[in-house]
Each structure stands twice: as C-alpha cells, then as structure tokens.
Amino acid sequence: MMIQGLYAITPSGLEENDLLSKTEVLLKEGIKLIQYRDKILDKKTFQEKARALLKLTKKYEAKLLINDHVEICLEISADGFHLGLEDYSSEANSELLKKNKDFISNNLICGLSCKWNKELVVNPPENEIKWTYLAVGSFYSSNTKSGVPETNENLKREFLSYTDKPLVAIGGINKKNIKEVKNLGYSCFALSEALFKNPKHVLNEYKKL
C-alpha cells in the first residue's frame, strides 16, 4: 500500500450515522486511507463503530487503521493501527505486539506519531514490529492535535531526510496551507476537520492545488 495523498482521520464524537455517511462520501471521492480515531468513546462502542467503518472501507477497497487500540484492530481484522509513543509503550499494547508480531509485520499497516521528535524519526522503537510510516507534526495549530506547531520551514523539510519511511504530515492541514506542505516535499497529508466538515467534492478541491 502506498502511503500518499490524503489520509482522512475521523473527528471524535460523531454520531454513527454521521460518521458513516461522511466517511462514505470521502470513500466515493476516492480517499483510500481512513483512520478511526475517537478519544471519548468507551471500548465497546468504539469497536462497534469500527466494525461498521471497516465494512464500508472494504466496499470501496480502502484501508481502515485503528487509532490507539491494537486489540480492537486485531479483533475486527482492520488493516492496521496508528499509535502514539505512550500507546505503543503501554503494557497491554506491548504484550499484543509481542504476541502477534509476525502477523502484524506481514499483514498490517503500522503508523507511529513522532510529533517533532528528531530522535524518534531517526530511530523509532522497532524491537517488536516495523513501522510502515511515521507521522510528524503539528504543522499548524489544530483542534485535534495538541502540541506547538513548528514554524521553521527548513526544519520541516529536514525531517524528510531523517528516514527512508514515508512521513505523514499532520496537524491543522487544510486547503489553504496544503500547498506549502507539498512544496516542502511531503506527499501524504493527514486531515481531519478539513475533510469531515464538508466532505463533498473534497478530492477535486485538493487536486487543483
């Protein structure tokens, strides 16, 4: 799977119908990578919604990644997961990664949030699994990603030389600023609010940039 183009991250707190209908619009538009992220749900509800989303992404031959919950990713047979360093280091996830490392390495897309941590990008923790891509940011201020946006253009560009893995740009990216990010050399852009607020015709708008 090529990690490039627009990568849609679901905003927290969407009702199931809203979540599914907006995601379907994005899938119809041609988006191939969806990350299910919801920081406020209990695990059972999260899993139910994740199953419904997986059914939808399969219909459009897209990939669904689960944020944080490796266990749910494995239980519902999603296409992969995305973790922050804290989630990766948690006892529950560490055990699951250890136990399923061969399956994960051979079958799943694995993403790690690195913020603007150079050390982490240069040397991500790979004692159990290999990361498919690394996410860096925030690029701009955003409701989804806490953390201070990086304003130094040269530093943002430099990060691309720290690793051979695909780097996903994240944090406050929208159609006003995506061109700047593209011009720095990034080719995969994670967007949340910018896509889900008004998902119709979204791909055409971004293709023009």
Side-chain angles (χ1 to χ4, degrees):
M1 162 99 198
M2 295 290 285
I3 306 290
Q4 62 182 34
L6 295 182
Y7 177 1
I9 301 179
T10 64
S12 292
L14 288 183
E15 287 296 322
E16 186 162 336
N17 289 346
D18 204 17
L19 173 70
L20 294 176
S21 60
K22 285 183 167 172
T23 303
E24 184 155 27
V25 175
L26 292 172
L27 292 165
K28 277 182 178 157
E29 294 271 326
I31 285 185
K32 290 295 180 205
L33 209 47
I34 306 274
Q35 182 189 133
Y36 181 40
R37 179 181 191 274
D38 198 313
K39 294 290 188 186
I40 54 186
L41 285 185
D42 62 90
K43 237 172 165 178
K44 186 173 176 293
T45 315
F46 185 98
Q47 182 158 351
E48 283 164 12
K49 288 187 176 178
R51 271 188 206 284
L53 269 179
L54 184 61
K55 216 168 141 180
L56 198 56
T57 50
K58 283 205 182 313
K59 181 176 155 189
Y60 290 92
E61 296 180 355
K63 303 284 186 197
L64 179 69
L65 273 64
I66 302 294
N67 182 278
D68 288 357
H69 304 286
V70 175
E71 180 186 0
I72 291 175
C73 167
L74 293 168
E75 276 171 13
I76 70 169
S77 302
D79 300 291
F81 52 79
H82 182 95
L83 299 175
L85 195 57
E86 311 75 42
D87 309 308
Y88 170 78
S89 316
S90 81
E91 209 173 305
N93 279 340
S94 289
E95 274 178 38
L96 281 169
L97 296 174
K98 222 181 233 122
K99 212 162 85 187
N100 299 282
K101 65 179 178 186
D102 292 341
F103 174 79
I104 290 170
S105 299
N106 293 322
N107 300 284
L108 299 186
I109 299 167
C110 312
L112 177 69
S113 284
C114 298
K115 301 189 172 153
W116 287 114
N117 182 336
K118 177 184 173 180
E119 291 313 309
L120 200 50
V121 174
V122 172
N123 193 15
E126 294 196 308
N127 39 343
E128 299 306 340
I129 56 164
K130 291 267 180 281
W131 299 102
T132 317
Y133 71 85
L134 305 173
V136 292
S138 271
F139 274 71
Y140 306 96
S141 49
S142 106
N143 300 331
T144 321
K145 283 277 162 204
S146 57
V148 182
E150 181 51 61
T151 51
N152 182 332
E153 302 289 279
N154 289 334
L155 191 129
K156 293 178 192 177
R157 197 178 278 113
E158 255 169 45
F159 262 69
L160 289 159
S161 65
Y162 296 154
T163 179
D164 294 335
K165 295 183 191 295
L167 281 191
V168 174
I170 196 165
I173 299 169
N174 56 37
K175 57 177 185 270
K176 290 194 183 81
N177 57 34
I178 194 167
K179 200 149 190 198
E180 291 174 18
V181 184
K182 219 175 182 169
N183 290 341
L184 292 171
Y186 288 83
S187 56
C188 184
F189 316 91
L191 284 74
S192 183
E193 304 273 318
L195 294 182
F196 280 86
K197 205 167 254 163
N198 184 14
K200 206 119 184 70
H201 310 306
V202 88
L203 235 60
N204 285 339
E205 289 174 16
Y206 283 90
K207 273 179 189 152
K208 287 180 201 148
L209 302 169

